[in-house]
């Protein structure tokens, strides 16, 4: 199955994390590689929603669908790769 991540937008975070597990670090790669690696690693954990923060930190948890928007929408993300206390959130669709 090919994993196809779809953007849900940019959402604020806080030190009391909306997505509680930093599960992979994909920093230093291209945007496409970061998004795909975060998606693949989330999928391995059976998480269909994940966030990217600070240019390549992959964040998620088993309750991401209900938690990612808890601090509201923000404009702090950059280029689809999140920002400081901001998650670019993606949903995984299989093809």
């Amino acid at each position: 199955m090919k994993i196809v991540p779809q953007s849900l937008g940019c959402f604020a975070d806080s030190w009391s994390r909306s997505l509680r597990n930093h599960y992979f670090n994909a920093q230093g790669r291209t945007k496409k590689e970061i998004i795909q690696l975060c998606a693949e690693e989330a999928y391995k954990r059976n998480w269909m929603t994940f966030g990217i923060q600070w240019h390549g930190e992959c964040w998620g948890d088993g309750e991401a669908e209900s938690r990612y928007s808890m601090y509201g929408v923000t404009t702090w993300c950059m280029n689809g790769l999140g920002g400081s206390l901001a998650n670019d959130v993606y949903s995984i669709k299989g093809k």
Side-chain angles (χ1 to χ4, degrees):
M1 178 176 109
K2 182 177 180 188
I3 297 168
V4 182
Q6 296 181 332
S7 177
L8 298 177
C10 180
F11 296 87
D13 203 3
S14 128
W15 293 113
S16 299
R17 302 290 185 179
S18 57
L19 305 176
R20 297 168 285 190
N21 295 296
H22 177 214
Y23 63 90
F24 192 77
N25 190 341
Q27 289 174 322
R29 296 174 172 92
T30 68
K31 175 183 174 180
K32 184 177 179 178
E33 290 170 334
I34 290 168
I35 295 169
Q36 193 62 38
L37 283 168
C38 289
E40 289 171 3
E41 292 296 322
Y43 186 79
K44 288 179 187 176
R45 293 162 173 79
N46 293 314
W47 299 342
M48 297 299 112
T49 303
F50 66 94
I52 300 175
Q53 194 168 129
W54 201 243
H55 316 291
E57 294 178 354
C58 310
W59 289 82
D61 66 42
E63 298 175 0
E65 287 90 359
S66 64
R67 293 183 56 88
Y68 74 83
S69 62
M70 67 190 302
Y71 298 114
V73 175
T74 187
T75 58
W76 302 335
C77 295
M78 294 174 276
N79 197 31
L81 300 176
S84 178
L85 292 177
N87 289 305
D88 263 302
V89 178
Y90 294 86
S91 176
I92 295 173
K93 305 294 181 202
K95 281 269 178 185

